[in-house]
Every structure is written in structure tokens, then in C-alpha cells.
Coordinates of all heavy atoms in Angstrom, one line a residue:
M1 N 0.8 -1.2 0.0 CA 0.0 0.0 0.0 C 0.9 1.2 0.0 O 1.8 1.3 0.8 CB -0.9 0.0 1.2 CG -1.8 1.2 1.3 SD -3.1 1.0 0.2 CE -4.3 1.9 1.0
L2 N 0.6 2.1 -0.9 CA 1.3 3.4 -1.0 C 1.0 4.3 0.1 O -0.1 4.4 0.6 CB 1.0 4.1 -2.3 CG 1.5 3.4 -3.6 CD1 1.0 4.2 -4.8 CD2 3.0 3.2 -3.7
S3 N 2.0 5.1 0.5 CA 1.7 6.2 1.4 C 1.2 7.4 0.6 O 1.2 7.4 -0.6 CB 3.0 6.6 2.1 OG 3.9 7.2 1.2
C4 N 0.7 8.4 1.3 CA 0.2 9.6 0.6 C 1.3 10.3 -0.1 O 1.1 10.8 -1.2 CB -0.5 10.6 1.6 SG -2.1 10.0 2.3
K5 N 2.5 10.3 0.5 CA 3.6 10.9 -0.1 C 4.0 10.3 -1.4 O 4.2 10.9 -2.5 CB 4.8 10.9 0.8 CG 6.0 11.7 0.3 CD 7.1 11.7 1.4 CE 8.3 12.5 0.9 NZ 9.3 12.6 2.0
Q6 N 4.0 8.9 -1.4 CA 4.3 8.2 -2.6 C 3.2 8.4 -3.7 O 3.5 8.5 -4.9 CB 4.4 6.7 -2.3 CG 5.6 6.3 -1.5 CD 5.6 4.9 -1.0 OE1 4.5 4.5 -0.5 NE2 6.7 4.2 -1.0
T7 N 2.0 8.4 -3.2 CA 0.9 8.6 -4.2 C 0.9 9.9 -4.8 O 0.7 10.1 -6.0 CB -0.5 8.4 -3.4 OG1 -0.5 7.1 -2.9 CG2 -1.6 8.5 -4.4
S8 N 1.1 11.0 -4.0 CA 1.2 12.3 -4.6 C 2.3 12.5 -5.6 O 2.2 13.1 -6.6 CB 1.3 13.4 -3.5 OG 2.5 13.2 -2.7
L9 N 3.4 11.8 -5.3 CA 4.6 11.8 -6.3 C 4.2 11.2 -7.6 O 4.4 11.7 -8.7 CB 5.8 11.2 -5.6 CG 7.0 11.1 -6.5 CD1 7.5 12.5 -6.9 CD2 8.1 10.3 -5.8
L10 N 3.5 10.0 -7.5 CA 3.1 9.3 -8.7 C 2.0 10.0 -9.4 O 2.1 10.0 -10.7 CB 2.7 7.9 -8.3 CG 3.8 6.9 -8.0 CD1 3.2 5.6 -7.5 CD2 4.7 6.7 -9.2
V11 N 1.1 10.6 -8.7 CA 0.1 11.4 -9.4 C 0.7 12.6 -10.2 O 0.4 12.8 -11.3 CB -1.0 11.9 -8.4 CG1 -1.8 13.0 -9.0 CG2 -1.8 10.8 -7.9
S12 N 1.7 13.2 -9.5 CA 2.4 14.3 -10.2 C 3.2 13.8 -11.4 O 3.1 14.4 -12.5 CB 3.3 15.0 -9.2 OG 4.0 16.0 -9.8
Q13 N 3.8 12.7 -11.3 CA 4.6 12.1 -12.4 C 3.7 11.7 -13.5 O 4.1 11.7 -14.7 CB 5.4 10.9 -11.9 CG 6.6 11.4 -11.0 CD 7.4 10.2 -10.5 OE1 7.0 9.0 -10.7 NE2 8.5 10.4 -9.9
S14 N 2.5 11.3 -13.2 CA 1.6 10.8 -14.2 C 1.2 11.9 -15.2 O 0.7 11.6 -16.3 CB 0.3 10.2 -13.6 OG -0.5 11.2 -13.1
L15 N 1.4 13.1 -14.8 CA 1.1 14.2 -15.7 C 2.2 14.3 -16.8 O 2.0 14.9 -17.8 CB 1.0 15.5 -15.0 CG -0.2 15.6 -14.0 CD1 -0.2 16.9 -13.3 CD2 -1.5 15.3 -14.7
D16 N 3.4 13.8 -16.4 CA 4.6 14.0 -17.3 C 5.0 12.7 -18.0 O 5.6 12.7 -19.1 CB 5.8 14.5 -16.5 CG 5.5 15.8 -15.9 OD1 4.8 16.6 -16.5 OD2 6.0 16.0 -14.7
R17 N 4.6 11.6 -17.5 CA 4.9 10.3 -18.1 C 3.9 9.3 -17.8 O 3.2 9.4 -16.8 CB 6.3 9.8 -17.6 CG 6.2 9.4 -16.1 CD 7.5 8.7 -15.7 NE 7.5 8.3 -14.3 CZ 7.0 7.2 -13.8 NH1 6.5 6.3 -14.6 NH2 7.0 6.9 -12.5
P18 N 3.7 8.3 -18.7 CA 2.8 7.2 -18.4 C 3.3 6.3 -17.2 O 4.5 6.0 -17.2 CB 2.6 6.4 -19.7 CG 3.8 6.8 -20.5 CD 4.3 8.1 -20.0
L19 N 2.4 6.0 -16.3 CA 2.8 5.1 -15.2 C 2.7 3.7 -15.7 O 1.8 3.3 -16.6 CB 1.9 5.3 -14.0 CG 1.8 6.7 -13.4 CD1 0.8 6.7 -12.3 CD2 3.2 7.2 -13.0
N20 N 3.5 2.8 -15.2 CA 3.4 1.4 -15.5 C 2.1 0.8 -14.8 O 1.5 1.5 -13.9 CB 4.6 0.6 -15.2 CG 4.9 0.5 -13.7 OD1 4.1 0.4 -12.9 ND2 6.2 0.7 -13.4
W21 N 1.7 -0.4 -15.1 CA 0.5 -0.9 -14.6 C 0.5 -1.1 -13.1 O -0.5 -0.9 -12.5 CB 0.1 -2.2 -15.3 CG 0.9 -3.4 -14.9 CD1 2.1 -3.8 -15.5 CD2 0.7 -4.3 -13.8 NE1 2.6 -4.9 -14.9 CE2 1.8 -5.2 -13.8 CE3 -0.2 -4.4 -12.9 CZ2 1.9 -6.2 -12.9 CZ3 -0.1 -5.4 -11.9 CH2 0.9 -6.3 -11.9
R22 N 1.6 -1.4 -12.5 CA 1.7 -1.5 -11.0 C 1.5 -0.2 -10.4 O 0.8 -0.1 -9.4 CB 3.1 -2.1 -10.6 CG 3.2 -3.6 -10.9 CD 4.5 -4.1 -10.4 NE 4.6 -5.5 -10.7 CZ 5.3 -6.4 -10.2 NH1 6.1 -6.0 -9.2 NH2 5.3 -7.6 -10.6
E23 N 2.1 0.8 -10.9 CA 2.0 2.2 -10.4 C 0.5 2.7 -10.5 O 0.0 3.2 -9.6 CB 2.9 3.2 -11.1 CG 4.4 2.9 -10.8 CD 5.3 3.7 -11.7 OE1 4.9 4.0 -12.9 OE2 6.4 4.1 -11.3
R24 N 0.0 2.4 -11.7 CA -1.4 2.9 -11.9 C -2.4 2.2 -10.9 O -3.3 2.8 -10.3 CB -1.9 2.6 -13.3 CG -1.4 3.5 -14.3 CD -2.1 3.4 -15.7 NE -2.3 2.1 -16.1 CZ -1.4 1.4 -16.9 NH1 -0.3 2.0 -17.4 NH2 -1.7 0.2 -17.3
W25 N -2.2 0.9 -10.7 CA -3.0 0.1 -9.8 C -2.9 0.6 -8.4 O -3.8 0.8 -7.7 CB -2.7 -1.4 -10.0 CG -3.5 -2.3 -9.1 CD1 -3.1 -2.9 -7.9 CD2 -4.9 -2.6 -9.2 NE1 -4.1 -3.5 -7.4 CE2 -5.2 -3.4 -8.1 CE3 -5.8 -2.2 -10.2 CZ2 -6.5 -3.9 -8.0 CZ3 -7.1 -2.7 -10.0 CH2 -7.5 -3.5 -8.9
A26 N -1.6 0.8 -8.0 CA -1.4 1.2 -6.6 C -2.0 2.6 -6.4 O -2.6 2.8 -5.3 CB 0.1 1.2 -6.3
V27 N -1.9 3.5 -7.3 CA -2.4 4.8 -7.2 C -4.0 4.7 -7.1 O -4.6 5.3 -6.3 CB -2.0 5.7 -8.3 CG1 -2.8 7.0 -8.4 CG2 -0.5 6.1 -8.2
R28 N -4.6 3.9 -8.0 CA -6.0 3.8 -8.0 C -6.5 3.2 -6.6 O -7.5 3.7 -6.1 CB -6.5 2.8 -9.1 CG -6.5 3.5 -10.4 CD -7.0 2.6 -11.5 NE -6.8 3.2 -12.8 CZ -7.2 2.6 -13.9 NH1 -7.7 1.4 -13.9 NH2 -7.0 3.2 -15.0
V29 N -5.9 2.2 -6.1 CA -6.3 1.7 -4.8 C -6.2 2.7 -3.7 O -7.1 2.9 -2.9 CB -5.4 0.4 -4.5 CG1 -5.7 0.0 -3.0 CG2 -5.8 -0.7 -5.4
H30 N -5.1 3.5 -3.7 CA -4.9 4.5 -2.7 C -6.0 5.6 -2.8 O -6.5 6.0 -1.8 CB -3.5 5.1 -2.8 CG -3.2 6.0 -1.7 ND1 -2.7 5.6 -0.5 CD2 -3.4 7.4 -1.6 CE1 -2.5 6.7 0.3 NE2 -3.0 7.7 -0.3
L31 N -6.2 6.0 -4.1 CA -7.2 7.1 -4.3 C -8.6 6.6 -3.9 O -9.4 7.5 -3.5 CB -7.2 7.5 -5.8 CG -5.9 8.2 -6.2 CD1 -6.0 8.6 -7.7 CD2 -5.7 9.5 -5.4
L32 N -8.9 5.3 -3.9 CA -10.2 4.9 -3.5 C -10.4 5.1 -2.0 O -11.6 5.4 -1.6 CB -10.4 3.4 -3.8 CG -10.6 3.0 -5.2 CD1 -10.6 1.4 -5.3 CD2 -12.0 3.5 -5.7
I33 N -9.4 5.1 -1.2 CA -9.5 5.2 0.2 C -9.1 6.5 0.8 O -9.3 6.8 2.0 CB -8.8 4.1 1.0 CG1 -7.3 4.1 0.7 CG2 -9.4 2.7 0.6 CD1 -6.5 3.2 1.6
C34 N -8.4 7.4 0.0 CA -7.8 8.6 0.6 C -8.4 9.8 -0.1 O -8.1 10.1 -1.3 CB -6.3 8.6 0.4 SG -5.5 10.0 1.1
V35 N -9.2 10.5 0.6 CA -9.9 11.7 0.1 C -8.9 12.8 -0.2 O -9.0 13.6 -1.1 CB -11.0 12.2 1.0 CG1 -10.4 12.7 2.4 CG2 -11.8 13.3 0.4
Y36 N -7.8 12.9 0.6 CA -6.8 14.0 0.5 C -6.0 13.8 -0.8 O -5.8 14.8 -1.5 CB -5.9 14.0 1.7 CG -6.7 14.2 3.0 CD1 -6.8 13.2 3.9 CD2 -7.3 15.4 3.3 CE1 -7.5 13.3 5.1 CE2 -8.0 15.6 4.4 CZ -8.1 14.5 5.3 OH -8.9 14.7 6.4
C37 N -5.7 12.6 -1.1 CA -4.9 12.4 -2.4 C -5.9 12.6 -3.6 O -5.4 13.0 -4.6 CB -4.3 11.0 -2.4 SG -2.9 10.9 -1.2
R38 N -7.1 12.2 -3.5 CA -8.1 12.4 -4.6 C -8.2 13.9 -4.8 O -8.2 14.4 -5.9 CB -9.5 11.9 -4.2 CG -9.6 10.4 -4.5 CD -11.1 10.0 -4.6 NE -11.8 10.4 -3.4 CZ -12.0 9.6 -2.3 NH1 -11.5 8.4 -2.3 NH2 -12.8 10.1 -1.3
R39 N -8.3 14.7 -3.7 CA -8.4 16.1 -3.8 C -7.1 16.7 -4.4 O -7.1 17.6 -5.3 CB -8.6 16.8 -2.4 CG -8.9 18.2 -2.5 CD -9.3 18.8 -1.1 NE -10.4 18.0 -0.6 CZ -10.6 17.9 0.7 NH1 -9.8 18.4 1.6 NH2 -11.6 17.2 1.2
F40 N -5.9 16.2 -4.0 CA -4.7 16.6 -4.6 C -4.6 16.4 -6.1 O -4.2 17.3 -6.9 CB -3.5 15.9 -3.9 CG -2.2 16.2 -4.5 CD1 -1.5 17.4 -4.3 CD2 -1.5 15.3 -5.3 CE1 -0.3 17.7 -4.8 CE2 -0.3 15.5 -5.9 CZ 0.3 16.7 -5.6
K41 N -5.1 15.2 -6.5 CA -5.1 14.9 -8.0 C -6.0 15.9 -8.7 O -5.7 16.4 -9.8 CB -5.5 13.5 -8.2 CG -5.5 13.1 -9.6 CD -6.0 11.7 -9.9 CE -6.0 11.4 -11.4 NZ -6.5 10.0 -11.6
Q42 N -7.2 16.1 -8.1 CA -8.1 17.1 -8.8 C -7.5 18.5 -8.9 O -7.7 19.1 -9.9 CB -9.4 17.1 -8.0 CG -10.2 15.8 -8.1 CD -11.4 15.8 -7.1 OE1 -11.5 16.7 -6.2 NE2 -12.3 14.9 -7.3
Q43 N -6.8 18.9 -7.8 CA -6.2 20.2 -7.8 C -5.1 20.3 -8.9 O -4.9 21.3 -9.6 CB -5.7 20.6 -6.5 CG -6.8 20.8 -5.4 CD -6.2 20.9 -4.0 OE1 -5.1 20.5 -3.7 NE2 -7.0 21.4 -3.1
L44 N -4.3 19.2 -9.0 CA -3.3 19.2 -10.0 C -3.9 19.3 -11.4 O -3.4 20.1 -12.3 CB -2.4 17.9 -9.9 CG -1.3 17.9 -9.0 CD1 -0.5 16.6 -9.1 CD2 -0.3 19.0 -9.2
L45 N -4.9 18.5 -11.7 CA -5.5 18.6 -13.0 C -6.2 19.9 -13.3 O -6.1 20.4 -14.4 CB -6.6 17.5 -13.1 CG -6.0 16.0 -13.0 CD1 -7.2 15.0 -13.0 CD2 -5.1 15.8 -14.2
W46 N -6.7 20.6 -12.2 CA -7.3 21.9 -12.4 C -6.2 22.9 -12.7 O -6.4 23.7 -13.7 CB -8.0 22.3 -11.1 CG -8.7 23.6 -11.2 CD1 -9.9 23.9 -11.6 CD2 -8.1 24.9 -10.8 NE1 -10.1 25.3 -11.5 CE2 -9.0 25.9 -11.1 CE3 -6.8 25.3 -10.4 CZ2 -8.8 27.2 -10.8 CZ3 -6.6 26.6 -10.1 CH2 -7.5 27.6 -10.4
M47 N -5.1 22.8 -12.0 CA -4.0 23.8 -12.3 C -3.5 23.6 -13.7 O -3.2 24.5 -14.4 CB -2.9 23.6 -11.3 CG -3.2 24.2 -9.9 SD -1.8 24.3 -8.8 CE -1.5 22.6 -8.5
R48 N -3.3 22.3 -14.1 CA -2.8 22.1 -15.4 C -3.7 22.6 -16.5 O -3.3 23.3 -17.5 CB -2.6 20.6 -15.6 CG -2.0 20.2 -16.9 CD -1.8 18.7 -17.1 NE -1.0 18.5 -18.2 CZ -0.2 17.5 -18.4 NH1 -0.1 16.6 -17.4 NH2 0.4 17.3 -19.5
R49 N -5.0 22.4 -16.3 CA -6.0 22.8 -17.3 C -6.0 24.4 -17.4 O -6.0 24.9 -18.5 CB -7.4 22.3 -16.9 CG -8.4 22.2 -18.0 CD -9.6 21.5 -17.5 NE -10.1 21.8 -16.2 CZ -10.1 21.0 -15.2 NH1 -9.6 19.7 -15.3 NH2 -10.6 21.3 -14.0
H50 N -6.0 25.0 -16.3 CA -6.1 26.5 -16.2 C -4.8 27.1 -16.7 O -4.8 28.2 -17.3 CB -6.5 27.0 -14.9 CG -8.0 26.8 -14.7 ND1 -8.5 25.6 -14.3 CD2 -9.0 27.6 -14.8 CE1 -9.8 25.7 -14.2 NE2 -10.1 26.9 -14.5
L51 N -3.6 26.6 -16.3 CA -2.4 27.1 -16.8 C -2.2 27.0 -18.3 O -1.7 27.9 -19.0 CB -1.2 26.4 -16.1 CG -1.0 26.8 -14.6 CD1 0.1 25.9 -14.0 CD2 -0.6 28.2 -14.5
A52 N -2.7 25.9 -18.9 CA -2.7 25.8 -20.3 C -3.6 26.8 -21.0 O -3.2 27.4 -22.0 CB -3.1 24.4 -20.7
S53 N -4.7 27.1 -20.4 CA -5.7 28.1 -20.9 C -5.0 29.5 -20.8 O -5.1 30.2 -21.7 CB -7.0 28.0 -20.1 OG -7.8 29.1 -20.4
W54 N -4.4 29.8 -19.6 CA -3.8 31.1 -19.5 C -2.7 31.3 -20.4 O -2.4 32.4 -20.9 CB -3.4 31.3 -18.0 CG -4.5 31.4 -17.1 CD1 -5.8 31.9 -17.4 CD2 -4.5 31.1 -15.7 NE1 -6.6 31.8 -16.2 CE2 -5.8 31.3 -15.2 CE3 -3.6 30.6 -14.9 CZ2 -6.2 31.1 -13.9 CZ3 -3.9 30.4 -13.5 CH2 -5.2 30.6 -13.1
Q55 N -1.9 30.2 -20.6 CA -0.8 30.3 -21.5 C -1.2 30.6 -22.9 O -0.6 31.4 -23.6 CB 0.0 29.0 -21.5 CG 1.3 29.0 -22.3 CD 2.0 27.7 -22.3 OE1 1.4 26.6 -21.9 NE2 3.3 27.7 -22.6
Q56 N -2.3 30.0 -23.3 CA -2.9 30.2 -24.7 C -3.4 31.6 -24.8 O -3.2 32.3 -25.8 CB -4.0 29.2 -25.0 CG -4.5 29.3 -26.4 CD -3.4 29.1 -27.4 OE1 -2.6 28.2 -27.3 NE2 -3.4 29.9 -28.5
Q57 N -4.1 32.1 -23.8 CA -4.6 33.5 -23.8 C -3.4 34.5 -23.9 O -3.5 35.5 -24.6 CB -5.4 33.8 -22.5 CG -6.7 33.1 -22.5 CD -7.5 33.3 -21.2 OE1 -7.0 34.0 -20.3 NE2 -8.7 32.8 -21.1
A58 N -2.3 34.2 -23.1 CA -1.2 35.1 -23.2 C -0.5 35.1 -24.5 O -0.1 36.2 -25.0 CB -0.2 34.7 -22.1
A59 N -0.5 34.0 -25.2 CA 0.1 33.9 -26.5 C -0.7 34.6 -27.5 O -0.2 35.2 -28.5 CB 0.3 32.4 -26.9
D60 N -2.1 34.6 -27.3 CA -3.0 35.2 -28.3 C -3.0 36.7 -28.1 O -3.4 37.5 -29.0 CB -4.4 34.6 -28.2 CG -4.4 33.2 -28.6 OD1 -3.5 32.7 -29.3 OD2 -5.4 32.5 -28.3
D61 N -2.8 37.2 -26.8 CA -2.9 38.6 -26.5 C -1.6 39.3 -26.8 O -0.6 39.2 -26.1 CB -3.3 38.8 -25.1 CG -3.7 40.2 -24.7 OD1 -3.6 41.1 -25.6 OD2 -4.2 40.4 -23.6
Q62 N -1.6 40.1 -27.9 CA -0.4 40.8 -28.3 C -0.1 42.0 -27.4 O 1.0 42.6 -27.4 CB -0.6 41.3 -29.7 CG -0.8 40.2 -30.7 CD 0.4 39.2 -30.7 OE1 1.5 39.6 -30.6 NE2 0.1 38.0 -30.9
S63 N -1.1 42.5 -26.5 CA -0.9 43.6 -25.7 C 0.0 43.3 -24.4 O 0.4 44.2 -23.7 CB -2.2 44.2 -25.3 OG -2.9 43.3 -24.4
L64 N 0.2 42.0 -24.2 CA 0.9 41.6 -23.0 C 2.4 41.6 -23.4 O 2.9 40.6 -23.9 CB 0.5 40.2 -22.5 CG -0.9 40.1 -22.0 CD1 -1.3 38.6 -21.7 CD2 -1.1 41.0 -20.8
T65 N 3.1 42.6 -23.1 CA 4.5 42.7 -23.3 C 5.2 43.3 -22.1 O 4.6 44.0 -21.4 CB 4.8 43.5 -24.6 OG1 4.3 44.9 -24.4 CG2 4.2 42.9 -25.8
L66 N 6.5 43.1 -22.0 CA 7.2 43.7 -20.9 C 7.9 44.9 -21.4 O 8.2 45.1 -22.6 CB 8.3 42.7 -20.5 CG 7.9 41.5 -19.7 CD1 9.1 40.6 -19.5 CD2 7.3 41.9 -18.4
S67 N 8.0 45.9 -20.5 CA 8.7 47.1 -20.9 C 10.2 46.8 -21.0 O 10.7 45.8 -20.5 CB 8.5 48.2 -19.8 OG 9.1 47.7 -18.6
A68 N 10.9 47.7 -21.7 CA 12.4 47.5 -21.9 C 13.1 47.4 -20.6 O 14.0 46.5 -20.4 CB 12.9 48.6 -22.8
P69 N 12.8 48.3 -19.6 CA 13.5 48.2 -18.3 C 13.2 46.9 -17.6 O 14.1 46.3 -17.0 CB 13.0 49.4 -17.5 CG 12.5 50.4 -18.5 CD 12.0 49.5 -19.7
A70 N 12.0 46.4 -17.7 CA 11.7 45.1 -17.1 C 12.5 44.0 -17.7 O 13.0 43.1 -17.0 CB 10.2 44.9 -17.2
K71 N 12.6 44.0 -19.0 CA 13.3 43.0 -19.7 C 14.8 43.0 -19.3 O 15.4 42.0 -19.1 CB 13.2 43.2 -21.2 CG 11.9 42.8 -21.8 CD 11.8 43.0 -23.3 CE 10.5 42.7 -23.9 NZ 10.4 43.0 -25.3
E72 N 15.3 44.2 -19.2 CA 16.7 44.4 -18.7 C 17.0 43.9 -17.3 O 17.9 43.2 -17.1 CB 17.1 45.9 -18.8 CG 18.6 46.1 -18.5 CD 19.5 45.4 -19.5 OE1 19.2 45.2 -20.7 OE2 20.6 45.1 -19.0
R73 N 16.0 44.2 -16.4 CA 16.2 43.7 -15.0 C 16.1 42.1 -15.0 O 16.9 41.5 -14.3 CB 15.1 44.2 -14.2 CG 15.2 45.7 -13.7 CD 14.3 46.1 -12.6 NE 12.9 45.7 -12.9 CZ 12.0 46.5 -13.5 NH1 12.4 47.7 -13.9 NH2 10.8 46.1 -13.7
I74 N 15.3 41.6 -15.8 CA 15.1 40.1 -15.8 C 16.4 39.5 -16.4 O 17.0 38.5 -15.9 CB 13.9 39.7 -16.6 CG1 12.6 40.1 -15.8 CG2 13.9 38.2 -16.8 CD1 11.3 39.9 -16.6
T75 N 16.9 40.1 -17.5 CA 18.1 39.6 -18.1 C 19.3 39.7 -17.1 O 20.1 38.7 -17.0 CB 18.4 40.4 -19.3 OG1 17.4 40.3 -20.2 CG2 19.7 39.9 -20.0
Q76 N 19.4 40.8 -16.4 CA 20.5 40.9 -15.4 C 20.4 39.8 -14.3 O 21.4 39.3 -13.9 CB 20.5 42.3 -14.8 CG 20.9 43.4 -15.7 CD 20.7 44.8 -15.2 OE1 20.2 45.0 -14.1 NE2 21.2 45.8 -15.9
Q77 N 19.2 39.6 -13.8 CA 19.0 38.6 -12.8 C 19.3 37.2 -13.3 O 19.9 36.4 -12.6 CB 17.6 38.6 -12.2 CG 17.3 39.9 -11.5 CD 18.1 40.1 -10.2 OE1 18.4 39.1 -9.5 NE2 18.6 41.3 -10.0
L78 N 18.9 36.9 -14.5 CA 19.2 35.6 -15.1 C 20.7 35.4 -15.3 O 21.2 34.3 -15.2 CB 18.4 35.4 -16.4 CG 16.9 35.2 -16.2 CD1 16.3 35.2 -17.6 CD2 16.6 33.9 -15.5
D79 N 21.4 36.5 -15.7 CA 22.8 36.4 -15.9 C 23.6 36.1 -14.7 O 24.7 35.5 -14.7 CB 23.4 37.7 -16.5 CG 22.9 37.9 -18.0 OD1 22.5 36.9 -18.6 OD2 23.0 39.0 -18.5
K80 N 23.0 36.5 -13.5 CA 23.7 36.1 -12.2 C 23.7 34.6 -12.0 O 24.6 34.1 -11.3 CB 23.0 36.8 -11.1 CG 23.2 38.3 -11.1 CD 22.4 38.9 -9.9 CE 22.6 40.4 -9.8 NZ 21.8 41.0 -8.7
F81 N 22.7 34.0 -12.5 CA 22.6 32.5 -12.2 C 23.2 31.6 -13.2 O 23.5 30.5 -13.0 CB 21.1 32.1 -12.0 CG 20.5 32.8 -10.8 CD1 19.6 33.8 -11.0 CD2 20.8 32.3 -9.6 CE1 19.0 34.4 -9.9 CE2 20.2 32.9 -8.4 CZ 19.3 34.0 -8.6
Y82 N 23.4 32.2 -14.4 CA 23.9 31.3 -15.5 C 25.2 31.9 -16.1 O 25.6 32.8 -16.2 CB 22.9 31.2 -16.7 CG 21.6 30.5 -16.2 CD1 20.4 31.3 -16.0 CD2 21.6 29.2 -15.8 CE1 19.3 30.7 -15.6 CE2 20.4 28.6 -15.4 CZ 19.3 29.4 -15.2 OH 18.1 28.8 -14.8

């Protein structure tokens, strides 16, 4: 039986890669009995759906641009790390 920590990790990974049948089965069994992990999965799916929607809206909206000083500040901060 998976713990909530293991389940939340697998639920998160399932958004990025397909789980094997053992992982899927273990997650399903855990989700049947754990309301908190079910809620966590629903929240992850909600965030993914809405972030994709917002990303598309931002790509479509040409008025969303950064000012030149803002771009410069971001570039300077990124240069510090890379």
C-alpha cells in the first residue's frame, strides 16, 4: 500500500509520463480510500488545465509585453545565475 507521499509523487509524475500498470493500480487503490490524495489529484488537474488556458490566452494577446527596463532587469538577474 502506497503512502500519501508516494501517491502524490506518482500522481504528479503521471502528468509527465505514463505510469506502468503496477503504479497505476497502486495509485487507484490508494485514491479509493484517501480523500486527500483524490483532492490533490483534482487540484493538479485543475491547475494544469487552467495554466494551459492562461498560456494560450497570453500567447494570443499581443498587448501583453514587458517594458524594456523590465526585460533588462530580468536579463540581469538571469545572468547572475547562468
Side-chain angles (χ1 to χ4, degrees):
M1 180 75 152
L2 293 177
S3 67
C4 289
K5 185 175 183 178
Q6 292 169 317
T7 302
S8 61
L9 179 62
L10 285 173
V11 166
S12 180
Q13 288 178 352
S14 72
L15 299 178
D16 299 325
R17 68 170 178 88
L19 301 179
N20 65 40
W21 71 270
R22 286 184 185 202
E23 292 170 328
R24 284 194 313 268
W25 180 254
V27 167
R28 283 183 186 179
V29 169
H30 186 89
L31 292 178
L32 284 174
I33 61 169
C34 182
V35 66
Y36 303 109
C37 289
R38 278 197 308 267
R39 189 175 302 152
F40 174 75
K41 182 180 179 183
Q42 291 170 346
Q43 290 170 344
L44 273 183
L45 294 174
W46 181 89
M47 284 191 293
R48 184 180 188 149
R49 204 172 40 249
H50 284 78
L51 287 173
S53 172
W54 292 333
Q55 184 180 22
Q56 185 60 42
Q57 287 176 359
D60 294 343
D61 190 353
Q62 299 299 323
S63 66
L64 294 176
T65 59
L66 289 174
S67 64
K71 288 179 182 176
E72 183 62 30
R73 283 193 310 271
I74 291 171
T75 301
Q76 289 173 352
Q77 292 298 318
L78 289 174
D79 287 344
K80 288 181 182 178
F81 294 106
Y82 299 107

